[in-house]
Amino acid sequence: MKRAVLLTLIGIASLLSVIPSNAQQLSYSDAAQAYNRLLIERGNGTFQRISTYKVQGTQFLFGEKHQGNMFAAGETAYNIRLSYNTYNQELEFNSSANPTQPLVKSAKEVDSFVIKPNADLGIAENLKFVNGRHLKASDNSFYQVVYAGSKFSLYKKYKSTLGIVTTNYIDADLRQFNLEYEYFYFDEATKELKKLKLNNSFVKKEFKQVSDIETILERDPLGGNPEVALKEIFIFLNQ
């Protein structure tokens, strides 16, 4: 079943990559969100208990036990199995010392970690996450480094919430993991982390004192694939 889910996800990603740009606004789906939705759709009634709720899907980004590295105060671990819990911002890991029972670290105990590429899941490059405290964030969360620049850097924060299962009309205790994400940027001059709204007018206004990015937004509007557009904008801003 797991292999079937992964192959389906790859098929979806392939279809999205060839959809014309003028249709992307209706078609774009974050790969991690797509993975979670597929698990829910193909869950065959499986769930886990959280408090009084029976919850479908997974709270782990792209599932569990990815090859990766972890960095913490006084501790570095390479080539271990990582599971990033986006519901409570904890990091589980297995190593040769604990191959069957994962150890768990809270966000405040970890400086950063890296999930390595996995072609089956559509992870084409290292996914690096840093603790929000290094960005002066007010919460204990991990932020994915989407683009690191000398002037402005782009970050993405994932979180899972418990949502109502819209197709359920019987079980009041049934919930599902809804994976959400937000984009932020860090200004090296002011040392501030700010949230980015995914609309063209906000981004143009936010960086109007820095550079004219209207041409980029006309070519790659944020209503299509926002990450592609934002990366291009941040490359331009860091010139």
Side-chain angles (χ1 to χ4, degrees):
M1 173 185 166
K2 183 176 180 181
R3 180 171 177 78
V5 169
L6 297 180
L7 291 175
T8 304
L9 178 60
I10 293 170
I12 290 174
S14 299
L15 286 172
L16 291 176
S17 67
V18 298
I19 291 175
S21 59
N22 60 358
Q24 282 186 347
Q25 185 167 357
L26 298 176
S27 65
Y28 176 74
S29 179
D30 178 81
Q33 285 182 326
Y35 178 90
N36 190 54
R37 283 197 296 269
L38 284 169
L39 287 185
I40 293 172
E41 292 170 5
R42 296 169 177 253
N44 296 325
T46 59
F47 60 86
Q48 60 179 290
R49 281 282 182 184
I50 293 184
S51 184
T52 60
Y53 298 115
K54 297 182 293 185
V55 187
Q56 298 176 334
T58 181
Q59 68 271 52
F60 295 104
L61 190 72
F62 286 110
E64 301 175 65
K65 297 183 179 179
H66 305 287
Q67 283 286 346
N69 307 322
M70 182 190 66
F71 306 92
E75 183 179 2
T76 300
Y78 292 98
N79 298 316
I80 58 175
R81 293 283 186 174
L82 296 174
S83 303
Y84 170 31
N85 189 325
T86 59
Y87 180 66
N88 59 19
Q89 297 297 313
E90 290 180 343
L91 193 66
E92 299 184 7
F93 62 97
N94 297 78
S95 67
S96 57
N98 58 304
T100 57
Q101 183 64 34
L103 298 179
V104 181
K105 285 187 177 292
S106 64
K108 65 181 181 181
E109 297 177 282
V110 179
D111 288 324
S112 64
F113 66 93
V114 174
I115 294 176
K116 295 184 178 182
N118 185 325
D120 287 339
L121 294 175
I123 303 175
E125 57 187 10
N126 284 340
L127 301 181
K128 180 180 179 180
F129 293 83
V130 298
N131 193 296
R133 66 173 174 268
H134 298 300
L135 306 173
K136 302 186 183 300
S138 58
D139 60 339
N140 269 320
S141 297
F142 293 109
Y143 290 73
Q144 181 191 345
V145 183
V146 179
Y147 180 83
S150 58
K151 301 174 184 176
F152 301 97
S153 295
L154 177 64
Y155 295 90
K156 186 177 189 177
K157 183 175 77 170
Y158 284 101
K159 67 175 181 179
S160 286
T161 59
L162 299 186
I164 300 293
V165 180
T166 56
T167 56
N168 169 56
Y169 303 100
I170 300 174
D171 194 343
D173 295 333
L174 188 63
R175 296 291 187 273
Q176 67 182 31
F177 284 111
N178 290 334
L179 183 62
E180 304 168 358
Y181 64 87
E182 298 173 311
Y183 288 100
F184 296 79
Y185 77 92
F186 187 78
D187 187 331
E188 291 292 342
T190 63
K191 302 300 180 184
E192 288 183 302
L193 182 72
K194 298 185 69 175
K195 182 179 175 180
L196 278 171
K197 295 180 182 178
L198 290 181
N199 63 72
N200 290 5
S201 58
F202 175 86
V203 173
K204 284 190 286 187
K205 183 178 179 181
E206 189 73 10
F207 297 107
K208 66 180 180 181
Q209 303 299 329
V210 182
S211 188
D212 183 7
I213 58 176
E214 191 163 348
T215 302
I216 297 175
L217 290 172
E218 288 176 356
R219 183 172 63 251
D220 291 309
L222 293 173
N225 184 330
E227 200 151 307
V228 168
L230 287 172
K231 277 185 178 179
E232 190 171 355
I233 288 169
F234 275 76
I235 290 171
F236 184 70
L237 291 173
N238 281 283
Q239 291 178 350

